[in-house]
């Protein structure tokens, strides 16, 4: 199994909507306001139409549930959805100070899945991906890799 670099994408986010603590943890919703993505075969912008419905457990772990729409520079629309895990307890002090954390500072891993009907990008529909993240005040960024044999 090999990892092939697919792209880096950076999303800008609104301040979170705090839903509060329910039976399975504390829920926050971060709406996507825009962003960009760029890689060897992909380039474009994130549309302001997605969000991260993140749930924080008592263990400080954030369980991500994200949906976003990518608009390529050549006119294709690609739906992206992923689940992931972020050990945000390890970066709590950094984030509370309004600072960012970098790739590898904490465990922050997702598994993006793509869907499109544009013939130029249907290869994404068959691709298993993994990504590593970093974040700061008002933004999140991922390096996305396709898993190949």
């Amino acid at each position: 199994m090999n990892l092939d670099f697919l792209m880096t994408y950076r999303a800008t986010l609104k301040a979170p909507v705090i839903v509060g603590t329910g039976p399975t943890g504390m829920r926050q919703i971060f709406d996507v306001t825009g962003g960009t993505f760029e890689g060897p075969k992909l380039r474009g912008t994130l549309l302001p139409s997605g969000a991260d419905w993140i749930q924080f457990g008592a263990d400080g772990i954030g369980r991500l549930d994200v949906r976003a729409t990518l608009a390529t520079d050549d006119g294709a629309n690609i739906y992206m959805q992923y689940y992931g895990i972020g050990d945000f307890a390890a970066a709590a002090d950094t984030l509370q100070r309004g600072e960012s954390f970098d790739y590898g500072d904490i465990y922050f891993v997702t598994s993006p899945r793509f869907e499109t009907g544009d013939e130029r990008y249907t290869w994404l529909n068959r691709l298993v991906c993994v990504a590593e993240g970093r974040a700061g005040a008002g933004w999140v960024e991922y390096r996305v890799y396709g898993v190949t044999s």
Side-chain angles (χ1 to χ4, degrees), residues 10-108:
R10 183 180 186 106
T12 54
L13 308 169
K14 284 185 184 176
V17 173
I18 309 297
V19 176
T21 302
T24 57
M26 196 271 289
R27 174 83 60 190
Q28 293 184 14
I29 302 168
F30 290 84
D31 290 319
V32 174
T33 60
T36 59
F37 62 94
E38 184 173 343
K41 298 179 184 177
L42 294 163
R43 180 181 314 243
T45 58
L46 272 75
L47 299 181
S49 60
D52 182 353
W53 293 266
I54 189 168
Q55 186 174 49
F56 294 92
D59 56 2
I61 300 298
R63 288 157 179 91
L64 290 79
D65 177 2
V66 178
R67 293 165 194 89
T69 306
L70 309 178
T72 65
D73 283 353
D74 57 0
N77 290 318
I78 301 167
Y79 169 74
M80 177 178 65
Q81 180 272 328
Y82 59 86
Y83 297 106
I85 298 288
D87 185 0
F88 298 109
D93 290 340
T94 300
L95 293 171
Q96 286 178 358
R97 289 190 306 267
E99 298 173 359
S100 62
F101 62 87
D102 208 350
Y103 296 115
D105 286 351
I106 68 167
Y107 186 85
F108 187 19

